[in-house]
Amino acid sequence: MIDFKHVTKEYGDTVALEDATIHIDQGDFVFLVGPTGAGKSTFIKLISKELEPDSGEIIVAGKELSKMSNREIPIHRRDIGMVFQDFKLLDNKTVFENVAFAMEIVHCSRRTINRQVPQMLSVMGIEDKANNFPQELSAGEQQRVAIARAIINNPRILIADEPTGNLDPDTAWEIMELINTINRRGTTVVMVTHAKDIVNRMGKRVVAIDRGRIVRDNRGGEYGYDD
Amino acid sequence: MIKSALYSIKQAFKQMFRNKGMTFASIFAITAMMLILSLFLFLSVNVEYLTETVKNQFGTIEVFLLDETSKDQAENMIVSFKEMDGVEDAVYVSKEQAMEEFKIRWGDNAYLLNGLTENPLPNAIRITLSDLNSGDIIARFCATVQGVEDVRFYRDEVGKVVRISNIIQRGALVVIAFLVIISIVVVSNTIKLTVMARENEITIMKYIGATNWFIRGPMFFEGIIIGLISAAVSVGLSSLIYVRLCKVLGDQAFRLFSTQLVMPQFLITNIVWIFLALGISIGACGSIISMRRYLKA
Ligand SMILES: Nc1ncnc2c1ncn2[C@@H]1O[C@H](COP(=O)(O)OP(=O)(O)OP(=O)(O)O)[C@@H](O)[C@H]1O
Ligand SMILES: [Mg+2]
């Protein structure tokens, strides 16, 4: 599903990713770990084609990203659900509208939107918050809205950059269970995290990056170091 | 396609409403620009019209004939005039024809001519010049021909009018261009605020996979709608102004130049199209400039 072949990305003098080669299968669940500034977010931005690599080849869902035209980027991104530490919800839209927004972008009909959004909100356990604004929700609830928005269009890949970074441990676990459920339905998950106990307890594939290099890649792995 | 255009237009209206103050301010500013612009347009069109009239009236040599000169003699003269260099055409104008022309030119004021019991105008030959410069020689020659009473040629006057008219036209064009540029800046400034107000939204839209058209469409239409509303308002107002202007200045203009102002019906139908096109262009340019500058990628 995701293939990096000798990918290097530099920002001026800083080498954010160096000669990275990795293969991620369809349906995989990958934790991306490593110290701050290691290049984890850079890795993720390369997948969504927010950044261009300086060298190497990236193939996502069968498509070579460097050969992709600008017009194809939106289509590519619809195949990738994105979740962030800071949720990135629109404050002037209700929970319902925030999720519906993702469907409007792909020109779903009102009827489809009105049917699917409440369904999705109830899967996320926030059906009673549909008409609230993000500010009126707890952090955990806001992240559920963000996840709902990320997967409402059935992307094949879910990318999460420290999705539990702003959550207390209990809420973080609830979110992890949701993401795990999404992964079990067949969605490939790539998740950046600094949460040692989550990584250790989930027992998924762990890829460690340090100073731009992939230094470890093992299944059922451990977080592996202390921050 | 139509669906996404409708979506964009709806979003544009939403944004304009959310940003009422700024929307109103820019519509007000652009309407004001267009009103001033319309005044210069009126001036320019009328000066052009006046110049053409003057050219037609005076870019010719009028050879007035003695009453005893017969039609046959006149025809002979025409043949010889036509052979001269710088003459485009020469035609016979009977005194009756001349009176008809007078009445048409005087338009609403033609009733003044009804008081005349007998036609005081002479028969004439009208020479149209292909070259204004050879007019003097031709005029001098015509005066020596047997059966000619008088020759009239207003070379200097025509030249002066054409020169002044050119200056006015060019000045008006500069002012109009200037106003259009200011209007574009006003629109682009409004759209810039929209881009900034929606920065967060735009980032999220890109993550979700919104096409460029989906993101830009609403802003593009916002500019166009602002342009169109301004155009509509200023067409209405400037039409009223022109109708009043014709009422107030029409007689003055007639007395001074013995020609009417360009008719309001004619000018206004043209202005509707000009202004709508201008409004759309100003809006589109303003939006595009701002999106280019402030909307990364
Ligand atoms: N836009 C940028 N311009 C210049 N340097 C950048 C830019 N983005 C990231 N970097 C640098 O590239 C390196 C990798 O950054 P990246 O954001 O990928 O790290 P990270 O692993 O996500 O860190 P964190 O865990 O703190 O989020 C860092 O040294 C960072 O300072
Ligand atoms: Mg990061």
Side-chain angles (χ1 to χ4, degrees), chain B residues 19-78:
Chain B
N19 211 347
K20 281 190 278 298
M22 195 59 210
T23 304
F24 182 78
S26 45
I27 288 177
F28 185 82
I30 295 165
T31 304
M33 301 290 167
M34 283 186 150
L35 277 180
I36 302 172
L37 190 150
S38 71
L39 293 182
F40 279 90
L41 203 64
F42 295 154
L43 177 71
S44 169
V45 168
N46 275 295
V47 167
E48 167 85 28
Y49 178 69
L50 179 69
T51 316
E52 280 309 308
T53 318
V54 168
K55 262 195 202 159
N56 285 337
Q57 276 173 21
F58 304 118
T60 55
I61 297 174
E62 301 263 6
V63 180
F64 298 121
L65 305 175
L66 293 167
D67 277 342
E68 55 266 30
T69 308
S70 73
K71 182 91 191 276
D72 278 349
Q73 283 172 298
E75 293 295 345
N76 286 336
M77 285 184 210
I78 287 177

Side-chain angles (χ1 to χ4, degrees), chain A residues 45 50 74-75 77-78 80 82 84 88-90 92-93 101-102 104-105 107-109 149 153, chain B residues 3-5 7 10-11 14 18 198 200-214:
Chain A
K45 286 174 182 167
E50 201 180 321
I75 312 299
R77 297 218 174 123
R78 288 173 198 176
I80 303 172
M82 303 267 260
F84 302 91
K88 293 206 196 299
L89 299 174
L90 293 169
N92 56 357
K93 287 185 192 289
F101 187 53
E104 286 168 10
I105 280 175
H107 299 299
C108 285
S109 71
R149 184 184 63 195
N153 290 328
Chain B
K3 205 166 147 195
S4 66
Y7 181 88
K10 208 173 103 193
Q11 292 299 313
K14 249 190 201 163
R18 215 181 285 164
R198 297 184 55 197
N200 197 17
E201 198 174 337
I202 291 166
T203 315
I204 293 167
M205 283 164 102
K206 283 188 182 160
Y207 278 131
I208 308 177
T211 55
N212 256 339
W213 164 243
F214 190 92

Side-chain angles (χ1 to χ4, degrees), chain A residues 9-12 14-17 34-45 51 85 161-162 192 194 209 212:
Chain A
K9 174 70 191 175
E10 299 171 8
Y11 302 101
T14 327
V15 182
L17 204 62
T36 182
K40 305 180 296 294
S41 296
T42 303
F43 182 89
I44 273 176
K45 286 174 182 167
L51 295 175
Q85 179 172 11
D161 198 345
E162 300 186 45
V192 174
H194 287 283
I209 301 185

Side-chain angles (χ1 to χ4, degrees), chain B residues 25-278:
Chain B
S26 45
I27 288 177
F28 185 82
I30 295 165
T31 304
M33 301 290 167
M34 283 186 150
L35 277 180
I36 302 172
L37 190 150
S38 71
L39 293 182
F40 279 90
L41 203 64
F42 295 154
L43 177 71
S44 169
V45 168
N46 275 295
V47 167
E48 167 85 28
Y49 178 69
L50 179 69
T51 316
E52 280 309 308
T53 318
V54 168
K55 262 195 202 159
N56 285 337
Q57 276 173 21
F58 304 118
T60 55
I61 297 174
E62 301 263 6
V63 180
F64 298 121
L65 305 175
L66 293 167
D67 277 342
E68 55 266 30
T69 308
S70 73
K71 182 91 191 276
D72 278 349
Q73 283 172 298
E75 293 295 345
N76 286 336
M77 285 184 210
I78 287 177
V79 172
S80 65
F81 289 162
K82 273 187 178 169
E83 277 165 6
M84 299 179 69
D85 280 344
V87 173
E88 170 139 337
D89 199 11
V91 290
Y92 183 74
V93 183
S94 70
K95 54 167 66 182
E96 292 78 20
Q97 259 171 290
M99 179 51 83
E100 280 311 307
E101 284 177 11
F102 237 84
K103 282 184 177 163
I104 290 169
R105 204 194 309 152
W106 282 31
D108 290 344
N109 299 50
Y111 67 91
L112 294 170
L113 300 171
N114 292 343
L116 298 170
T117 47
E118 131 182 32
N119 188 347
L121 300 169
N123 293 320
I125 294 172
R126 184 173 296 153
I127 300 174
T128 332
L129 297 171
S130 57
D131 174 16
L132 217 58
N133 292 321
S134 49
D136 275 334
I137 303 166
I138 297 169
R140 237 175 285 135
F141 169 77
C142 292
T144 64
V145 175
Q146 273 274 310
V148 170
E149 182 181 10
D150 197 7
V151 174
R152 213 178 278 170
F153 176 55
Y154 299 95
R155 179 207 156 104
D156 290 346
E157 286 77 357
V158 175
K160 220 179 271 170
V161 168
V162 170
R163 239 173 294 131
I164 293 173
S165 148
N166 279 344
I167 292 170
I168 295 177
Q169 301 277 7
R170 252 173 245 158
L173 201 69
V174 168
V175 173
I176 288 174
F178 184 67
L179 291 170
V180 168
I181 291 170
I182 292 182
S183 302
I184 291 175
V185 170
V186 170
V187 174
S188 87
N189 210 44
T190 311
I191 302 301
K192 171 181 142 188
L193 290 182
T194 299
V195 172
M196 292 184 165
R198 297 184 55 197
E199 208 156 32
N200 197 17
E201 198 174 337
I202 291 166
T203 315
I204 293 167
M205 283 164 102
K206 283 188 182 160
Y207 278 131
I208 308 177
T211 55
N212 256 339
W213 164 243
F214 190 92
I215 296 170
R216 286 163 188 234
M219 289 172 228
F220 186 65
F221 280 114
E222 187 183 344
I224 287 186
I225 292 166
I226 287 174
L228 275 179
I229 294 177
S230 311
V233 175
S234 46
V235 162
L237 287 177
S238 64
S239 302
L240 287 179
I241 291 174
Y242 191 65
V243 171
R244 281 220 58 85
L245 224 55
C246 282
K247 281 219 183 85
V248 175
L249 293 181
D251 285 348
Q252 298 270 16
F254 182 77
R255 216 164 298 137
L256 282 171
F257 310 111
S258 75
T259 167
Q260 308 284 314
L261 292 177
V262 176
M263 286 197 297
Q265 304 91 293
F266 173 77
L267 200 60
I268 288 166
T269 37
N270 279 305
I271 277 215
V272 170
W273 297 115
I274 294 174
F275 272 35
L276 287 184
L278 202 61

